[in-house]
Amino acid sequence: MARFTDRTVIVTGAAQGIGEEYAKALAAEGAKVIVADLNTERGTDVAKQITAGGGTAIFREVDVSEPESAAAVAEFTLGEFGRIDHLVNNAAIYGAMKLDLLLSVPWDYYKKFMGVNLDGALNMTRAVWKPMRKQGGGSIVNQSSTAAWTYSGFYGLAKAGINSLTQQLAHELGSANIRINAIAPGPIDTEATRSIVPEQFVDEIVKGAAIKRLGTPQDLVGACLYLLSDDAKWVTGQVLNVDGGTVFRA
């Protein structure tokens, strides 16, 4: 399949883990990919791997919590490829996340965390929506989490905010033919998850799921490609759980 031939996509947080898989899958279906991340070394390596495999990718450093940095990556993309068709807002503080309570987490850390994990999606969307509108439309996928429906402290708060942001922006962007949806993964077997979630907690989560295993980044790829593609041309404002049946919601 080549649903994204001649299309350009920015994937934030694409230097590793889930974002890396999204970037590689989009390139495999013909997209020109901007691998956007703060990690220059790993992000550059991902772009090189895509190029070596016959795809098109360029690394660009970005701090999504800074509106100027978000605007700069959008301008860079337009300069390189002349258009922006799709955006994946995947960047997040997760693997190195401070474990603390909402009542006691240092305020400066909380503000930076929310600046990346919630405001970052809005900053990037604000940076790309006008070019998308000018060319006739586009699509955006935000990365949420099933943490939005469980006790997960400020991480869950940020993801609940992503869900609401997705729904609100769907209405603001609809008249510009720009669709925006979100994916809510359950527990995913990544380096980041292994670094912060104790093994016994992971075991309990798996026991409570309908499908008795952790997810993988590859499990999320199909949902991301579908929501970005024309196959979902009448789908917007939705939050799609990809979680092995971990969370049931009406």
Side-chain angles (χ1 to χ4, degrees):
M1 296 179 69
R3 288 175 286 183
F4 299 95
T5 299
D6 298 325
R7 297 189 183 186
T8 297
V9 57
I10 301 170
V11 182
T12 68
Q16 59 188 317
I18 295 168
E20 177 181 348
E21 293 301 319
Y22 287 161
K24 289 178 175 178
L26 284 158
E29 285 208 24
K32 301 177 179 72
V33 180
I34 297 295
V35 176
D37 205 289
L38 271 176
N39 191 323
T40 300
E41 181 178 355
R42 294 184 72 158
T44 300
D45 184 59
V46 170
K48 287 181 177 178
Q49 289 179 43
I50 291 171
T51 302
T56 301
I58 303 173
F59 171 76
R60 174 72 180 191
E61 184 177 348
V62 67
D63 180 351
V64 298
S65 70
E66 298 293 338
E68 297 81 4
S69 185
V73 76
E75 287 299 317
F76 175 81
T77 305
L78 291 171
E80 290 291 327
F81 299 126
R83 58 190 294 120
I84 302 170
D85 298 283
H86 311 289
L87 168 66
V88 180
N89 283 314
N90 174 72
I93 297 171
Y94 177 55
M97 180 174 59
K98 185 186 294 291
L99 299 180
D100 207 334
L101 303 174
L102 275 165
L103 294 173
S104 56
V105 62
W107 188 250
D108 288 347
Y109 180 84
Y110 170 80
K111 295 295 286 183
K112 178 63 177 179
F113 183 91
M114 298 301 281
V116 173
N117 288 42
L118 176 56
D119 298 338
L122 178 56
N123 286 335
M124 286 300 304
T125 301
R126 287 168 64 129
V128 305
W129 80 273
K130 288 182 180 178
M132 284 185 177
R133 179 183 63 178
K134 185 176 181 179
Q135 71 202 23
S139 59
I140 299 168
V141 166
N142 293 331
Q143 193 81 329
S144 179
S145 170
T146 54
W149 299 283
T150 63
Y151 169 61
S152 305
F154 47 87
Y155 181 74
L157 178 62
K159 294 307 185 180
I162 285 289
N163 293 348
S164 182
L165 180 74
T166 299
Q167 293 165 341
Q168 300 302 318
L169 287 176
H171 285 271
E172 294 191 17
L173 296 171
S175 62
N177 195 33
I178 299 170
R179 299 181 298 101
I180 181 165
N181 294 286
I183 295 171
I188 303 297
D189 188 11
T190 62
E191 179 182 332
T193 296
R194 291 190 296 270
S195 71
I196 67 165
V197 182
E199 186 174 348
Q200 63 270 28
F201 288 4
V202 171
D203 291 342
E204 288 302 313
I205 292 170
V206 169
K207 287 178 184 177
I211 299 176
K212 308 298 183 184
R213 66 171 176 85
L214 289 178
T216 69
Q218 291 81 8
D219 288 324
L220 306 176
V221 165
C224 182
L225 298 188
Y226 164 69
L227 289 172
L228 289 175
S229 77
D230 291 343
D231 292 339
K233 62 185 177 182
W234 208 48
V235 179
T236 195
Q238 303 304 305
V239 181
L240 174 61
N241 283 33
V242 185
D243 66 347
T246 303
V247 170
F248 294 107
R249 57 191 178 93

